[in-house]
Amino acid sequence: MTILNTSFDTLYQTAPFSRIENDHYLPAFLQAIKEAKAEIDEITNNPETPTFENTIEVLDFSGEQLDRISSIFFNMNSAETNDTIQKIAQEVSPLLSEFSNDITLNETLFKRVKAVYDIKDTLDLNSEQNTLLDKKYKGFSRNGANLSEYKKTRLREIDKASSQLKLKFGENVLAETNAFEMHLTNEEDLAGLPEGAKEAAQQLAESKQKEGWLITLDYPSYIPFMTYANNRELRKKLAIAAGAKAFKGNEHDNQDNVLQITKLRHERANLLGYKTHAHFVLEERMAKTPETVQHFLNELLEKAKPAAEKEFKDLEAFAKDLDGIDALQKWDGSYYAEKLKQKLFSLDDEQLKPYFKLENVIDGVFTIAERLYDLKFEEIDTIDKYHEDVLTYKVTDLKGNLVSVFYADFFPRPGKRNGAWMTVYKPQYIKNGKNSRPHISNVCNFTKPTKSKPSLLTFNEVTTLFHEFGHALHGILANTTYPSLSGTSVSWDFVELPSQVLENWCYEKEALELFATHYETGEPIPMDLIEKIKASATFHEGMQTLRQISLGLLDMSWHSENPSAITSVKTHENKAFENTKLYPDVAGNCMSTAFSHVFQGGYSSGYYSYKWAEVLDADAFEYFLEKGIFNKDVAKKFKDHILSQGGIEDPMTLYKRFRGKEPQPEALLRRAGLIEK
């Protein structure tokens, strides 16, 4: 018996990180799986006639201990991993896939679920109960309950292999990220780099007992170098290293993993009666079909491509005039775009960063949440952390009632994967009349404080923080009965609405004045800088939109056709990028082999959802703009119909309840400057 197999005897039942040792995990998983199987047996052995309460409801609340252990372990594997945890993950993932299949392929259990489903029209169920019943039934039918024994066996084999391949994919990307260092000993090589970035590079070198400066592929190191460093050859070296992650034919190569993952996904979809993996996935999304997604992406492409090509041509001309660059390469894009932005708007991130001290931005986003949704955030030190960098908060309503526990983990380190994400340690649900509140976490990779400066964020990092906090609010304000419908448990192309809509407040004077103050003088951000932020908001929007469309099309190319004939990842990728390409191709680079969203995360056949959700968020924010960005009535509608409702109803139903109508794509195109306002 380990600490993970006892009830969580901590404040607010939070994860007891300081008491968890790596060798606790495997025994805890084995015990929790055993207990969860016993709970399933109790349902299947129930002699009573199947009802919603004794079958569907009980099933949704089963396996709670296993879910808690899984959330802790896999979050550690992303945020604080090591060789031991990765080895355990490879061992545990197939066990969890097997257990999941033990449930979905359990004929007796399916018969009970189907018995309730078949009489659903005679039951007096509310909308949430109806959704749960539909979801449970489809959970079986879409995962092989109606298959022959032979096909069920093959499905188990596919799921086991896929879970291991996805883990290996992620491990390879992390290993490749950590393996690269650009060690510089000549200060001239850092010309153009802001002082803060130079100091961070020097600090990193010192931490590894090296002279000079270290540049890595971690975003807080990589992005400033690509944006500001004058040395074109070093930018090229860094860009090629980033683009070659897991594409070098070494032990961490992901080409075969990509091919295997896509082929297994296709075979699985075929087993279940679907034409492709995309057909299987999209049936349960707002988009419904691959054809809808392709039409959506191509429609955006039609609007964005002319703008992107003009922007690219202007950038090329600018680079040629400035430095005689004849052909713009990928390692030139950020550098010259930043210089052009400075010329057009007299604005650069170094001007803005002093106004975006991390602590101030955190306070700002908390204040915005308070004004919109009546939340209070209080930093506390009475709950366990998994790393000293982690901040912990108690979230309450205006009456002091606990709403959520919130963790924030903002800085890069070797055991943490790149990027930014929101995650859940404990979901919200209502059981036996008690509303059990959630534990939510934001994980990011921002610039660390240096000896002379606090953590000062780029404006892009500010919008990233707001984005992830929007996801967090979706979890924090969850208020549903069933854990599987709570918080961000929504259609994948709906999940980005709360995150993307909150980014809009970063561009509004009324919001910026709450937190954008100079870290040394305390002076509020000048009005002219606010105007420049707004004016530059659509800078290179065509190129950025084209980039997102290209990734959506790449995702669909892997998953909406039969991949069995694909032998070269790179050749396939080039074909997918054909219609969205601006920069010359780099032979030694490949996006797919490090496309973690799609091959490790949950975005397969779903990357389009970022743009899909932008349509929703632009339309939703227009409503706020009409009434005022802190309008309590609009905020209450957004909270009551979107943030608190999780996945209890069809997302379009929820959206129309908030907005009063379906979203209009013109709102996005107007905001992006791709059509006239």
Side-chain angles (χ1 to χ4, degrees):
M1 188 69 71
T2 76
I3 184 64
L4 284 164
N5 282 124
T6 60
S7 60
F8 289 79
D9 58 349
T10 51
L11 182 65
Y12 310 126
Q13 294 186 302
T14 51
F17 293 113
S18 65
R19 290 185 277 162
I20 301 171
E21 296 172 16
N22 286 343
D23 61 6
H24 289 164
Y25 284 116
L26 187 56
F29 271 114
L30 294 172
Q31 179 65 26
I33 288 172
K34 185 179 174 184
E35 289 171 4
K37 282 182 176 177
E39 291 177 66
I40 299 300
D41 288 343
E42 202 172 318
I43 299 171
T44 57
N45 295 332
N46 188 340
E48 295 175 13
T49 302
T51 64
F52 180 84
E53 289 74 20
N54 71 19
T55 301
I56 308 302
E57 198 165 68
V58 176
L59 180 58
D60 201 58
F61 283 111
S62 69
E64 183 181 351
Q65 185 79 351
L66 179 59
D67 290 341
R68 289 292 315 267
I69 294 167
S70 295
S71 69
I72 292 168
F73 175 76
F74 286 104
N75 284 323
M76 289 304 93
N77 194 34
S78 290
E80 188 64 10
T81 196
N82 53 49
D83 290 344
T84 305
I85 286 180
Q86 290 182 6
K87 186 171 177 292
I88 295 167
Q90 287 288 355
E91 200 170 346
V92 162
S93 291
L95 297 177
L96 293 172
S97 289
E98 189 69 15
F99 171 69
S100 176
N101 283 329
D102 282 343
I103 294 176
T104 55
L105 301 178
N106 184 320
E107 286 185 30
T108 310
L109 183 59
F110 179 51
K111 280 179 185 171
R112 288 188 68 91
V113 171
K114 190 174 185 302
V116 180
Y117 185 79
D118 286 345
I119 59 165
K120 67 174 183 174
D121 292 339
T122 69
L123 304 174
D124 186 22
L125 302 179
N126 62 32
S127 57
E128 184 176 0
Q129 291 170 326
N130 265 314
T131 299
L132 184 68
L133 178 53
D134 280 345
K135 187 173 177 178
K136 290 300 176 196
Y137 177 77
K138 286 179 179 176
F140 284 89
S141 62
R142 284 170 50 83
N143 284 288
N146 294 314
L147 296 181
S148 66
E149 283 309 311
Y150 167 75
K151 288 184 175 179
K152 284 180 181 177
T153 301
R154 180 58 190 148
L155 192 76
R156 286 176 181 272
E157 292 168 355
I158 289 171
D159 288 346
K160 185 175 180 179
S162 294
S163 68
Q164 290 174 309
L165 285 167
K166 283 167 63 179
L167 273 175
K168 187 63 185 163
F169 182 98
E171 287 169 11
N172 286 344
V173 173
L174 181 62
E176 289 275 279
T177 303
N178 289 339
F180 178 86
E181 289 179 350
M182 191 162 72
H183 185 202
L184 305 175
T185 53
N186 183 350
E187 192 165 2
E188 287 179 15
D189 289 337
L190 290 96
L193 211 60
E195 281 306 312
K198 281 173 69 173
E199 190 179 356
Q202 188 173 33
Q203 209 163 286
L204 184 59
E206 281 175 13
S207 73
K208 299 196 175 186
Q209 286 81 51
K210 294 185 178 181
E211 294 293 317
W213 301 265
L214 272 184
I215 306 296
T216 71
L217 299 180
D218 285 323
Y219 291 153
S221 179
Y222 177 81
I223 299 296
F225 200 90
M226 294 306 299
T227 306
Y228 295 105
N230 294 337
N231 191 316
R232 192 185 187 207
E233 281 306 306
L234 290 179
R235 291 202 314 269
K236 177 180 178 180
K237 180 181 178 181
L238 194 62
I240 287 176
K245 278 192 286 193
F247 185 63
K248 298 200 283 284
N250 60 10
E251 61 178 324
H252 298 129
D253 192 280
N254 268 337
Q255 292 175 82
D256 191 51
N257 289 331
V258 167
L259 294 174
Q260 285 193 63
I261 289 168
T262 50
K263 285 168 186 175
L264 287 172
R265 284 172 174 170
H266 184 74
E267 184 187 350
R268 191 182 195 280
N270 287 172
L271 269 179
L272 294 166
Y274 294 86
K275 186 181 175 184
T276 67
H277 179 68
H279 286 84
F280 170 75
V281 168
L282 293 167
E283 183 183 62
E284 291 293 287
R285 305 283 163 90
M286 290 179 80
K288 303 301 181 195
T289 69
E291 292 74 23
T292 303
V293 173
Q294 294 284 3
H295 176 75
F296 170 71
L297 291 173
N298 286 324
E299 194 175 25
L300 278 183
L301 180 61
E302 191 183 322
K303 299 282 195 307
K305 192 172 181 180
E309 288 175 336
K310 182 184 183 304
E311 289 165 2
F312 187 75
K313 194 176 172 186
D314 291 346
L315 189 63
E316 274 194 312
F318 176 74
K320 187 168 178 63
D321 286 349
L322 195 67
D323 289 328
I325 302 294
D326 287 323
L328 209 61
Q329 303 291 339
K330 289 180 180 177
W331 45 88
D332 297 317
S334 297
Y335 180 76
Y336 287 106
E338 182 63 24
K339 288 205 166 345
L340 180 58
K341 188 167 80 169
Q342 289 176 28
K343 181 186 174 188
L344 294 175
F345 305 102
S346 302
L347 182 73
D348 72 87
D349 268 328
E350 289 310 298
Q351 266 181 290
L352 295 174
K353 280 170 72 174
Y355 296 97
F356 295 127
K357 181 182 172 184
L358 174 60
E359 291 79 1
N360 293 348
V361 180
I362 295 168
D363 287 345
V365 83
F366 287 169
T367 302
I368 288 166
E370 180 181 345
R371 288 184 62 173
L372 289 171
Y373 307 119
D374 297 332
L375 296 173
K376 293 276 189 187
F377 289 79
E378 177 193 344
E379 189 172 357
I380 55 173
D381 58 8
T382 47
I383 62 174
D384 255 348
K385 306 175 179 187
Y386 56 85
H387 191 276
E388 61 183 7
D389 285 349
V390 177
L391 305 171
T392 49
Y393 299 88
K394 177 173 75 170
V395 188
T396 57
D397 62 20
L398 296 183
K399 294 178 180 175
N401 299 311
L402 181 73
V403 175
S404 175
V405 171
F406 179 58
Y407 300 84
D409 180 359
F410 288 127
F411 303 123
R413 51 183 176 268
K416 184 178 180 182
R417 69 176 168 91
N418 254 332
W421 62 95
M422 168 269 191
T423 194
V424 181
Y425 283 105
K426 177 188 168 299
Q428 174 275 334
Y429 55 83
I430 299 170
K431 190 176 182 183
N432 300 325
K434 184 188 175 189
N435 195 324
S436 184
R437 299 311 302 168
H439 303 167
I440 306 298
S441 176
N442 275 170
V443 188
C444 303
N445 282 275
F446 297 145
T447 307
K448 292 190 81 161
T450 64
K451 289 171 185 171
S452 66
K453 284 189 177 72
S455 177
L456 301 176
L457 304 188
T458 65
F459 188 68
N460 187 53
E461 287 176 324
V462 174
T463 59
T464 296
L465 190 151
F466 270 67
H467 179 101
E468 297 308 331
F469 191 72
H471 281 308
L473 287 173
H474 205 179
I476 287 167
L477 289 166
N479 196 32
T480 63
T481 302
Y482 304 110
S484 70
L485 301 179
S486 182
T488 55
S489 299
V490 301
S491 297
W492 209 272
D493 44 10
F494 192 59
V495 78
E496 294 297 334
L497 168 59
S499 56
Q500 291 180 190
V501 80
L502 196 65
E503 289 182 41
N504 290 284
W505 272 259
C506 299
Y507 297 90
E508 297 300 317
K509 175 179 180 288
E510 204 178 338
L512 283 167
E513 286 177 342
L514 296 174
F515 64 92
T517 56
H518 198 285
Y519 79 101
E520 289 177 314
T521 66
E523 288 295 310
I525 190 167
M527 265 303 300
D528 67 313
L529 282 184
I530 293 177
E531 291 305 319
K532 287 173 184 177
I533 289 171
K534 285 200 72 110
S536 66
T538 58
F539 177 67
H540 280 179
E541 187 67 39
M543 286 169 67
Q544 288 171 24
T545 300
L546 195 67
R547 169 71 173 160
Q548 286 295 92
I549 292 168
S550 75
L551 295 176
L553 291 170
L554 176 63
D555 171 27
M556 294 304 289
S557 77
W558 281 115
H559 297 109
S560 64
E561 302 290 340
N562 184 347
S564 59
I566 302 170
T567 54
S568 166
V569 173
K570 177 71 173 178
T571 302
H572 176 79
E573 180 171 296
N574 280 349
K575 189 179 175 189
F577 282 154
E578 219 165 31
N579 207 24
T580 57
K581 185 176 153 190
L582 293 173
Y583 292 95
D585 180 53
V586 179
N589 282 191
C590 185
M591 175 65 203
S592 298
T593 54
F595 201 177
S596 298
H597 275 76
V598 163
F599 293 109
Q600 183 192 7
Y603 277 85
S604 62
S605 304
Y607 201 84
Y608 75 92
S609 59
Y610 281 106
K611 296 311 290 183
W612 185 278
E614 274 191 55
V615 170
L616 299 175
D617 102 63
D619 186 72
F621 193 64
E622 277 198 353
Y623 193 17
F624 275 99
L625 286 173
E626 286 166 20
K627 306 290 185 182
I629 66 166
F630 289 111
N631 183 280
K632 282 289 201 185
D633 292 335
V634 179
K636 187 175 187 307
K637 281 185 180 180
F638 196 70
K639 175 183 173 181
D640 290 350
H641 300 307
I642 307 289
L643 295 176
S644 66
Q645 297 299 285
I648 70 168
E649 284 187 85
D650 178 83
M652 190 57 80
T653 302
L654 294 174
Y655 187 83
K656 285 195 290 187
R657 214 169 275 156
F658 155 68
R659 189 66 168 99
K661 62 184 181 68
E662 290 199 3
Q664 303 301 312
E666 287 75 20
L668 169 62
L669 297 170
R670 277 193 295 273
R671 185 177 70 185
L674 298 176
I675 61 172
E676 291 297 317
K677 290 189 178 180

